[in-house]
Amino acid sequence: MNDQVVTKLEVLLAEKKFIEDPVIMYPGAPDDATRISAEVIVNDLTSRILLGIVENPTKDFVLSQFKLTIGQFGSFDSEDADRALRYMERIMDILGIKSSDDLFNEWRYGFEPAENTNKSLN
């Protein structure tokens, strides 16, 4: 952790989230209540990481925080869940974490790709 990482996380925290983003073809949350609810979840995640990473500067800590957050997106539609995933990937980029260790694949697709590589297509 350094000042640059903290600043990038604080910028993310301050951003309005779940708004239309044509670059990634995200239409935005379906209504303001959904947008605000999703934003609160991502902001809570970002705040927990900002507060906890100094004492727990590990990938395991960050992934454990993602696991808590993922469970909160169960009632959101797939586009909003995918957008939440992109925010988590952004946090990983800021922190220099290269992989979610298949956490995101399990969440979004229900499997780890490595589990299926040796299975027959029959």
Side-chain angles (χ1 to χ4, degrees), residues 69-88:
T69 300
I70 285 169
Q72 296 177 306
F73 277 96
S75 64
F76 288 81
D77 70 27
S78 62
E79 287 179 328
D80 295 331
D82 286 344
R83 184 65 181 117
L85 172 69
R86 290 183 80 103
Y87 286 118
M88 287 183 259

Side-chain angles (χ1 to χ4, degrees), residues 18-98:
F18 296 90
I19 58 174
E20 181 179 6
D21 187 341
V23 173
I24 61 170
M25 297 179 8
Y26 174 65
D31 55 61
D32 209 40
T34 301
R35 189 199 67 73
I36 291 168
S37 179
E39 182 174 291
V40 166
I41 294 169
V42 172
N43 285 347
D44 181 57
L45 165 66
T46 308
S47 294
R48 289 193 320 264
I49 290 174
L50 271 165
L51 293 172
I53 196 88
V54 173
E55 291 182 21
N56 301 294
T58 66
K59 178 180 178 177
D60 286 342
F61 168 72
V62 174
L63 293 181
S64 73
Q65 299 308 302
F66 288 168
K67 286 179 186 176
L68 293 173
T69 300
I70 285 169
Q72 296 177 306
F73 277 96
S75 64
F76 288 81
D77 70 27
S78 62
E79 287 179 328
D80 295 331
D82 286 344
R83 184 65 181 117
L85 172 69
R86 290 183 80 103
Y87 286 118
M88 287 183 259
E89 289 173 336
R90 186 165 159 199
I91 290 170
M92 287 175 52
D93 288 344
I94 291 169
L95 296 173
I97 297 172
K98 302 292 182 208

